């Protein structure tokens, strides 16, 4: 069968692209190797409100389990920097339901979605792409354009000639428990905030999180993949030392990798657009990738529309996707990779100094990658805080 577009991967990037392409009248096939959309979740499930607004995603109680107003950042000694927006700034999703809803919307718009159908071969043939799937749908189909939305180290993009090898330095290992039975009131854990814990003993080259989720919470960790010791060991040690987890129950275990560094130079090639984790479109500082995956898919869909109008699927036409992404979020992520590299070198004492010197508002500016504003804040603080000056000098030297 011939399709206009075959989307490989039914995660946020692939489902969003499928929905939008189908809405635009394209004949779309979306295939995934998973048995069930959204399972396993491999995610803390936090999604910023701005993506709902910008990408036409409904705020729906079916999958928005918890309103979030901001974040509490904890230094190793648990000094807290509060970033409180005073209004809803995002949600903790039930990601399984979120993705299923996206899949239903895509299907209603006309996309064909197939689970348990791993792509086992992809090749270009006479200006089209031939895609072979196994499993529930063992067959071959062709398309004009393929969307590689198949996660880190994309099989599809790799087969079609992009270098998708990731260095272990550019990956975080993620591990998470969904825990029920936490007494939020007793332990004064604000339900409407993300709780982020820093420190080299706690999470080397990363952080531990508690994302409240109604009566449960996603309690997880992301650490550099090249760090000695596993993410699971780090998390277990941290949980063991916390009174609030005594007598609670683990109701789900998740793990996965997060491509937090080393962006791809080209997100396209002939007949190919790469989106989401497959294109490493993950915020390098906090590791969030649901929103940026869908945002990139949205740009890719717009460029695909132009290619269909021109009936030209060459890399010369598709390069607009790479260029547009790098002018916006890509430029921001490049700056954030530098911030990440600085944070990775922080000692626990540095975190304490920073915790004393900066406010929640400062963190928001720095985390948004607005470097001129961030530089202004940091310079001002440096004048009044010799400890911070020492950290900066150390960082710039190395
Ligand atoms: C522990 C952890 C916690 C996280 N927490 C958050 C968070 O709180 N907020 C946030 O925004 N992000 C978070 N992320 C990152 C987020 O999960 C990803 O960035 C996001 O899922 C990217 O979406 P995607 O569609 O690009 O890829 P994915 O969601 O990985 O989807 C890729 C899909 O491709 C399919 N696939 C792969 N190979 C094939 C093949 N050969 N054939 C067919 N199908 C294939 C897979 O089965 C999968 O369904 C977290 C990640 C981890 C690991």
């Amino acid at each position: 069968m011939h399709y206009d577009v075959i989307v490989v991967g039914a995660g946020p990037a692939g489902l969003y692209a499928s929905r939008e392409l189908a809405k635009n009248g394209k004949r779309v096939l979306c295939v995934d190797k998973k048995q069930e959309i959204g399972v396993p979740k491999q995610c803390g499930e936090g999604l910023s409100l701005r993506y709902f607004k910008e990408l036409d995603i409904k705020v729906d109680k079916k999958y928005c389990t918890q309103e979030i107003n901001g974040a509490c950042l904890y230094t190793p000694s648990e000094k807290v920097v509060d970033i409180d927006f005073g209004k809803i700034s995002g949600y903790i999703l039930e990601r399984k339901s979120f993705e299923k809803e996206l899949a239903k919307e895509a299907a209603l718009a006309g996309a064909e979605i197939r689970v348990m159908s791993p792509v086992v071969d992809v090749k270009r043939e006479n200006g089209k792409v031939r895609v072979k799937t196994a499993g529930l749908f063992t067959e071959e189909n062709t398309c004009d354009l393929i969307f590689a939305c198949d996660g880190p180290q994309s099989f599809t993009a790799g087969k079609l000639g992009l270098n998708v090898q990731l260095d272990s330095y550019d990956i975080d290992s993620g591990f998470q428990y969904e825990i029920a039975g936490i007494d939020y009131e007793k332990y004064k854990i604000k339900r409407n905030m993300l709780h982020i814990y820093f420190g080299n003993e706690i999470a080397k080259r990363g952080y531990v999180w508690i994302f409240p989720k109604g009566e449960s919470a996603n309690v997880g960790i992301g650490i550099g993949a090249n760090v000695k010791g596993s993410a699971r060991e780090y998390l277990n040690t941290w949980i063991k030392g916390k009174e609030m987890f005594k007598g609670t129950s683990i109701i789900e275990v998740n793990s996965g990798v997060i491509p937090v560094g080393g962006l791809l130079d080209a997100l396209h090639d002939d007949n190919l657009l790469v989106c989401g984790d497959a294109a490493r479109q993950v915020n390098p500082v906090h590791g969030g990738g649901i929103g940026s995956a869908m945002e990139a898919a949205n740009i890719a869909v717009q460029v695909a529309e132009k290619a269909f109008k021109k009936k030209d699927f060459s890399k010369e036409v598709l390069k607009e996707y790479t260029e547009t992404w790098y002018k916006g979020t890509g430029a921001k992520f490049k700056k954030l990779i530098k911030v990440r590299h600085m944070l990775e070198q922080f000692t626990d004492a540095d975190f304490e100094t920073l915790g004393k010197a900066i406010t929640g508002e400062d963190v928001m500016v720095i985390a948004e990658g607005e470097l001129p504003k961030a530089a202004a804040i940091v310079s001002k603080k440096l004048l009044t805080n010799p400890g911070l000056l020492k950290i900066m000098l150390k960082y710039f030297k190395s």
Side-chain angles (χ1 to χ4, degrees), residues 94-160:
E94 182 62 68
R95 195 167 144 175
K96 173 178 161 179
S97 312
F98 174 70
E99 288 186 22
K100 280 203 174 149
E101 283 306 312
L102 260 186
K104 286 180 207 166
E105 287 174 19
L108 268 177
E112 289 175 46
I113 298 175
R114 294 178 183 166
V115 292
M116 247 177 114
S117 304
V119 168
V120 289
D121 197 20
V122 194
K123 56 179 176 239
R124 290 190 187 85
E125 209 177 79
N126 307 323
K128 311 223 174 291
V129 183
R130 180 169 288 277
V131 181
K132 191 172 171 186
T133 48
L136 210 53
F137 292 89
T138 299
E139 58 188 19
E140 289 190 20
N141 293 293
T142 56
C143 59
D144 295 313
L145 197 51
I146 189 160
F147 273 54
C149 304
D150 46 351
Q153 310 219 76
S154 162
F155 171 79
T156 309
K159 280 297 257 184
L160 292 176

Side-chain angles (χ1 to χ4, degrees), residues 222-244:
I223 57 167
N226 61 354
V227 163
K228 203 167 157 237
S230 71
R232 181 180 176 165
E233 284 162 359
Y234 268 95
L235 185 63
N236 285 345
T237 306
W238 185 78
I239 286 178
K240 232 176 166 179
K242 290 267 169 265
E243 189 62 28
M244 71 174 120

Side-chain angles (χ1 to χ4, degrees), residues 8-15 31-34 38-39 41-48 92 95 99 117-120 133 149-152 155-156 172-176 209 211 220-221 254-259 275-279 281-282 286-293:
V8 185
L15 290 169
V31 289
D32 201 293
K33 63 182 179 185
K34 283 179 179 171
V39 180
K41 72 183 182 202
Q42 296 181 306
C43 190
E45 305 180 286
L47 182 59
S48 162
I92 301 301
R95 195 167 144 175
E99 288 186 22
S117 304
V119 168
V120 289
T133 48
C149 304
D150 46 351
F155 171 79
T156 309
D172 266 6
S173 299
F175 191 82
Q176 180 179 265
W209 64 82
F211 288 2
I221 187 169
N254 316 115
S255 64
V257 298
I258 316 170
C275 306
D277 276 15
Q281 289 160 322
V282 174
H286 58 60
I290 305 172
S292 42

Side-chain angles (χ1 to χ4, degrees), residues 155-335:
F155 171 79
T156 309
K159 280 297 257 184
L160 292 176
L162 294 192
N163 179 5
V164 292
Q165 280 310 307
L166 268 166
D167 191 292
S168 66
Y169 184 75
D170 295 323
I171 313 173
D172 266 6
S173 299
F175 191 82
Q176 180 179 265
Y177 298 119
E178 186 170 339
I179 296 185
I182 298 171
D183 191 334
Y184 283 97
E185 281 65 41
K186 181 171 173 194
Y187 294 102
K188 297 190 172 54
I189 302 286
K190 293 180 190 162
R191 287 173 191 263
N192 62 345
M193 300 289 264
L194 306 176
H195 301 270
I196 313 276
Y197 298 80
F198 294 99
N200 287 295
E201 301 278 306
I202 297 168
K204 194 143 185 64
R205 292 190 53 215
Y207 62 86
V208 161
W209 64 82
I210 301 178
F211 288 2
K213 190 181 169 190
E215 288 314 311
S216 63
N218 288 325
V219 181
I221 187 169
I223 57 167
N226 61 354
V227 163
K228 203 167 157 237
S230 71
R232 181 180 176 165
E233 284 162 359
Y234 268 95
L235 185 63
N236 285 345
T237 306
W238 185 78
I239 286 178
K240 232 176 166 179
K242 290 267 169 265
E243 189 62 28
M244 71 174 120
F245 296 116
K246 299 255 155 69
T248 58
S249 303
I250 292 170
I251 57 172
E252 191 173 326
V253 182
N254 316 115
S255 64
V257 298
I258 316 170
V260 283
L263 299 168
L264 280 185
D265 292 336
L267 315 173
H268 71 282
D269 203 335
D270 290 329
N271 310 87
L272 171 70
L273 293 164
V274 191
C275 306
D277 276 15
R280 306 175 193 169
Q281 289 160 322
V282 174
N283 183 303
V285 169
H286 58 60
I290 305 172
S292 42
M294 296 189 295
E295 179 190 62
N298 194 33
I299 300 170
V301 167
Q302 288 165 30
V303 173
E305 280 308 306
K306 291 186 186 169
F308 276 102
K309 281 207 179 96
K310 289 183 183 159
K311 294 194 172 59
D312 182 349
F313 307 98
S314 66
K315 59 181 166 200
E316 285 70 35
V317 170
L318 300 180
K319 73 175 182 208
E320 188 185 335
Y321 164 53
T322 300
E323 289 169 355
T324 308
W325 189 77
Y326 268 106
K327 272 186 208 145
T329 302
K332 175 173 136 182
F333 281 7
K334 271 188 172 173
K335 291 173 192 163

Side-chain angles (χ1 to χ4, degrees), residues 358-372:
I358 63 169
T359 65
E361 279 166 18
D362 301 339
V363 176
M364 283 189 296
V365 175
I366 295 166
E368 276 307 302
E370 294 178 34
L371 282 203

